[in-house]
Amino acid sequence: MRDLRIVFMGTPDFAVGILKKLLEEKKNIVGVITAPDRPAGRGRKLRPSAVKEFAVSKNLPVLQPTNLKNDAFLTELKELKANLQIVVAFRMLPKVVWSLPEYGTFNLHASLLPQYRGAAPVQWAVYHGEKETGVSVIQMTAGLDAGPCLIQQLVEIGSTETAEQLESRLSFVGVDAVRDSIELLLRHSDFSQSPGVVQDAANISLAPRLRKSDGEVQWSRSAQEIYYQVRAFK
């Protein structure tokens, strides 16, 4: 049985449920990486991420790098002696970070990869009127959400469901997907060879970062298309 030492990387509420479940299942979380505190509200006071707030409440070590290639951060990360990293809604990692642990880095993505690679997969799935989506856990490699898939779980999209509501449901599904991926790792005899399935390059679609203009209604579009847009970006 492998003795896992896990570093968890994430920022928003979507990631908190997964971190909470890992702790409940007695997984050894040796550190948490999250975004720096951001100004928020009328007073523009610095506000920690949802993941940081939860991690601090559980007395977990927290790192908040502004530069993931910074030598000081890399030294701190290495000192945690993790052999697995789990990423949930964080940001793209440089190779020097994702390749560091012995067992690699897992990334939970809120789509059925290779569909909707990118920063906003839930919103774009709703915007395009998809009937189903899901979550994928991949082994991180070079390229945007491009690694081999370890686990995928399909989720149907409700006919009136907003992206916010769907994202909440997907976070619960993601808990099981991450747990199953860890179990797959523990059962795999030779992790120098990935147990994942290579993504189908012929079916790639993208989900770029949202812009303010994406929420502007174009009244020349059909009523159905506008309805999808409202559900996606409200």
Side-chain angles (χ1 to χ4, degrees), residues 4 25-26 31 40 48 75-76 84 103 136 138 143 150 158 180 183 189 193 220 225 228 233:
L4 293 183
E25 296 187 351
K26 308 301 182 184
T75 297
E76 290 180 300
L84 175 66
Y103 302 140
S136 303
I138 63 171
L150 301 165
D180 291 348
E183 293 304 315
S189 59
Q193 300 294 318
S220 59
E225 289 172 328
Y228 291 150
F233 303 134

Side-chain angles (χ1 to χ4, degrees), residues 15 54 68 78 81 83 86 99 116 120 156 164 189 210 224:
F54 178 77
L68 295 175
K78 291 173 183 176
K81 295 181 170 61
N83 52 18
I86 296 175
S99 64
Y116 295 108
E156 293 185 357
E164 183 178 11
S189 59
L210 298 178
Q224 183 68 74

Side-chain angles (χ1 to χ4, degrees), residues 200-216:
D200 181 0
N203 289 318
I204 294 171
S205 61
L206 299 179
R209 189 176 302 279
L210 298 178
R211 304 166 299 175
K212 185 175 181 180
S213 59
D214 292 325
E216 296 175 357

Side-chain angles (χ1 to χ4, degrees), residues 39-192:
R42 184 173 298 177
R44 307 301 291 166
K45 293 182 179 179
L46 291 178
R47 179 176 298 173
S49 72
V51 164
K52 179 183 178 180
E53 288 187 325
F54 178 77
V56 168
S57 75
K58 299 299 180 181
N59 297 313
L60 296 172
V62 176
L63 301 179
Q64 296 177 273
T66 55
N67 181 352
L68 295 175
K69 295 181 179 180
N70 178 270
D71 288 340
F73 164 67
L74 292 173
T75 297
E76 290 180 300
L77 184 60
K78 291 173 183 176
E79 288 174 350
L80 295 173
K81 295 181 170 61
N83 52 18
L84 175 66
Q85 294 175 156
I86 296 175
V87 179
V88 182
F90 187 49
R91 61 190 190 189
M92 285 193 69
L93 304 182
K95 183 177 181 179
V96 69
V97 173
W98 60 253
S99 64
L100 185 62
E102 178 184 0
Y103 302 140
T105 299
F106 291 178
N107 177 39
L108 175 68
H109 188 74
S111 78
L112 295 174
L113 291 168
Q115 299 173 21
Y116 295 108
R117 291 181 179 180
V122 179
Q123 289 82 1
W124 288 113
V126 174
Y127 177 86
H128 289 299
E130 302 286 3
K131 303 303 180 187
E132 60 187 30
T133 185
V135 297
S136 303
V137 179
I138 63 171
Q139 185 179 11
M140 192 168 285
T141 62
L144 177 65
D145 299 322
C149 288
L150 301 165
I151 297 289
Q152 289 192 310
Q153 294 189 17
L154 184 146
V155 172
E156 293 185 357
I157 301 176
S159 61
T160 62
E161 194 167 28
T162 65
E164 183 178 11
Q165 292 166 337
L166 176 59
E167 192 168 69
S168 179
R169 283 205 299 130
L170 290 173
S171 69
F172 288 102
V173 177
V175 169
D176 292 335
V178 169
R179 181 184 60 232
D180 291 348
S181 297
I182 292 173
E183 293 304 315
L184 177 63
L185 167 63
L186 294 175
R187 294 194 305 267
H188 193 64
S189 59
D190 181 11
F191 202 68
S192 63

